[in-house]
Amino acid sequence: MVLEMENIEKSFGDKQVLSGVSFKVYGGKAFGLLGRNGAGKTTSIRILMDVFPANSGRVLIDGEPIDYGKIKTGYLPEERGLYPKKIIIDQLVYFAELKGMNRRDAVKAVDYWLDALQMTEYRNKRLDTLSKGNQQKIQLITALAHNPDIIILDEPFSGLDPVNAMLLKEVVKRQISDGKIVLFSSHQMNYIEEFCDSIAILNGGRVVLCGELHDIKRNYVRDRLVVRTAFPDRIKNDLNDICRTAENGDIIIKLSDAGEKQQMMKRIVENYDIDEIKVFEPSLNDIFVEYAGDEAREGKK
């Protein structure tokens, strides 16, 4: 499947919230929808889920207007919405039934996910007796139990310890390998880089960058080198004007021209004791700051 947001416009009163938002999400791949708070991510997601309509534009599946009677969506919201005083199995089955499942299938699906997420022992407990991380896992089951075609995860790793984060990673990877459309919205760029093939960055209700993450990185001018060494002082002393030290201790060398890469690499390898040398590629965090920051917004006006 291919999900497409096509030229979406949305305003609330006199406030224009989305202006010509367009992007595509492919089944079997994860997509990152990024932006600062207020950039338009939540509005885009709500239009995608048919919570409210766009003023103009279309949501398409495989080139046709999406039929919400046939295409199922699963949503993990950033703000959790379950009932703290209710028994877990009762409310999970209730939510699955709301999404079209009969009770027998709902119980079976919920029990499957409780087991998969190592939560079976909490089946008949109240939600408010669980830790924040375990409550997050229960909330995730509401997004997955009805076997959705489109899965939208808004800050899915919030509140999870490393063990539970690893468990969630495996669940998400399985959904991707099953061909589901998986859309992430998160400010945790390390997870977006780990999972997402493609991204779109929103700024001021517009898409300011969209495409394959690998291609986006490759399109940056390749005029910097990263050098990792246990003996950085000599390199820094010799190349003082063109190098700086990164936060992790690596040396970043800025070339006057990208064509100097091979020559500088040869010089570094022959004259210094190094562990690694490579062309610098910006992190997703670097890219996000460049396109989602205030200076970027001013530049679009």
Side-chain angles (χ1 to χ4, degrees), residues 73-171:
T73 60
Y75 178 44
L76 176 68
E78 180 178 6
E79 298 297 330
R80 312 313 176 206
L82 297 182
Y83 301 106
K85 304 296 182 183
K86 298 296 183 180
I87 300 300
I88 286 169
I89 183 64
D90 293 340
Q91 57 180 314
L92 288 178
V93 169
Y94 169 71
F95 281 113
E97 289 178 309
L98 285 181
K99 294 170 182 175
M101 300 188 77
N102 63 55
R103 183 170 183 81
R104 182 178 178 180
D105 289 342
V107 172
K108 184 177 179 180
V110 167
D111 278 335
Y112 168 83
W113 281 110
L114 286 170
D115 179 63
L117 292 170
Q118 302 175 4
M119 297 296 292
T120 300
E121 65 181 288
Y122 304 107
R123 184 181 191 273
N124 296 304
K125 295 184 180 296
R126 291 190 342 187
L127 186 71
D128 60 3
T129 64
L130 274 60
S131 67
K132 182 179 178 182
N134 281 337
Q135 289 186 31
Q136 170 79 334
K137 289 158 71 176
I138 294 298
Q139 180 88 52
L140 176 64
I141 293 174
T142 68
L144 299 177
H146 60 296
N147 192 27
D149 306 290
I150 301 170
I151 301 168
I152 302 167
L153 305 173
D154 194 349
E155 298 294 354
F157 295 96
S158 176
L160 295 183
D161 60 53
V163 174
N164 279 325
M166 183 66 67
L167 184 61
L168 178 56
K169 286 181 185 180
E170 293 305 314
V171 170

Side-chain angles (χ1 to χ4, degrees), residues 286-298:
D286 297 328
I287 295 167
F288 181 84
V289 170
E290 177 180 348
Y291 282 89
D294 291 330
E295 291 182 5
R297 181 175 298 184
E298 291 298 320

Side-chain angles (χ1 to χ4, degrees), residues 33-34 41 47 53 55 76 88 91-92 106 108-109 121 130-131 138 151 211 216-217 224 243 257 263 265 272 283 298:
L33 184 62
L34 310 177
K41 302 187 303 297
I47 290 171
N55 295 119
L76 176 68
I88 286 169
Q91 57 180 314
L92 288 178
K108 184 177 179 180
E121 65 181 288
L130 274 60
S131 67
I138 294 298
I151 301 168
I216 290 170
K217 289 186 174 186
R224 283 174 286 179
C243 72
D257 185 89
Q263 181 180 351
M265 283 182 170
Y272 305 97
S283 68
E298 291 298 320

Side-chain angles (χ1 to χ4, degrees), residues 12-26:
F12 296 102
D14 295 332
K15 182 175 177 57
Q16 186 80 15
V17 179
L18 298 179
S19 301
V21 168
S22 298
F23 56 82
K24 290 183 179 181
V25 187
Y26 294 88

Side-chain angles (χ1 to χ4, degrees), residues 1-8 21-27 31 44 47-49 57-66 68 71 150 181 183 210:
M1 290 191 300
V2 181
L3 168 68
E4 184 174 2
M5 300 280 279
E6 182 183 79
N7 200 30
I8 299 293
V21 168
S22 298
F23 56 82
K24 290 183 179 181
V25 187
Y26 294 88
F31 182 90
S44 298
I47 290 171
L48 167 58
M49 295 180 61
R58 300 187 300 170
V59 181
L60 307 173
I61 288 287
D62 295 334
E64 299 293 333
I66 187 169
Y68 290 99
I71 300 297
I150 301 170
I181 290 173
L183 189 151
C210 187

